[in-house]
Amino acid sequence: MSALYLIEDFAQDYDFIYANTDQLKHQAYILRSKSHENIMDIDQYDTHSHHILLKHKTTNTYAACARIIEPPAKNPDKLLPFEENHRDNIWASRIAIKDLSRRSFSELSRINIAPAFHPEETDLNQIPQILLGLYLASISLARLLFHDYIFVELPEISFKKLRVHGLLFEQASNSENDHDNTMYCLNLESGISSASPIYELHQHILNEMAHQLNIPIVQDNDIDEIHSA
């Protein structure tokens, strides 16, 4: 699948929205609710999280959402969910998590897709486009927030599919959670292969997210220049 097709397809069908108002956050909470009857699903981590919505242009409805949790500024030692589930031997690029700055990493969690937009998995080696878009939007937002690493709990098959697409997640723990998911980590500076077709889609989504955060990003490398300024 060509990079141009991926960009045109997503740009035509979806908007990636940074949920920076209570109203938009409520849409994410509703999407997370299994009943989908305007009942909001909220937990203790939402007070120090960032939310992304995927809006379907044709129907003007919210199709999916994802959440990035970061340690709270006023209580940076507060554990993130993945730290509570994998208390021992967590690392990022061979660095023990205890040696990382608490504000240098985040966790991707609570990915939800509305029933009407659930993809049919026709190719067992491919990640559905809507899910791939959510991952790329989440990674883009984490980069714009100047996080160095993002952690996510995944089944092994999803990890392998993401690697095939060029998202270079690495195993971050030897333990599994209660759902047989393993902890993986992505280095946000070098975690997407520039040779992959999704790289250009990532650049497109990065610009969409940057515009909403009032950051005039043009290329991925510009973030490092802003960060070091």
Side-chain angles (χ1 to χ4, degrees), residues 45-57:
Y45 302 105
D46 285 318
T47 58
H48 49 99
S49 296
H50 301 268
H51 306 269
I52 296 169
L53 289 163
L54 192 60
K55 189 172 187 179
H56 188 239
K57 293 182 179 181

Side-chain angles (χ1 to χ4, degrees), residues 183-207:
M183 199 70 239
Y184 297 97
C185 178
L186 185 72
N187 183 323
L188 292 169
E189 184 176 351
S190 58
I192 299 181
S193 170
S194 59
S196 169
I198 68 166
Y199 185 78
E200 293 301 324
L201 176 60
H202 169 60
Q203 293 296 320
H204 168 76
I205 296 173
L206 184 68
N207 273 283

Side-chain angles (χ1 to χ4, degrees), residues 4-36:
L4 182 61
Y5 174 78
L6 277 170
I7 293 174
E8 288 183 343
D9 190 42
F10 270 83
Q12 180 178 348
D13 292 338
Y14 295 102
D15 282 327
F16 294 88
I17 300 172
Y18 175 48
N20 58 353
T21 67
D22 287 342
Q23 183 178 9
L24 289 172
K25 290 175 185 177
H26 288 173
Q27 293 296 330
Y29 303 151
I30 291 171
L31 270 171
R32 282 168 15 185
S33 172
K34 293 180 181 179
S35 66
H36 296 282

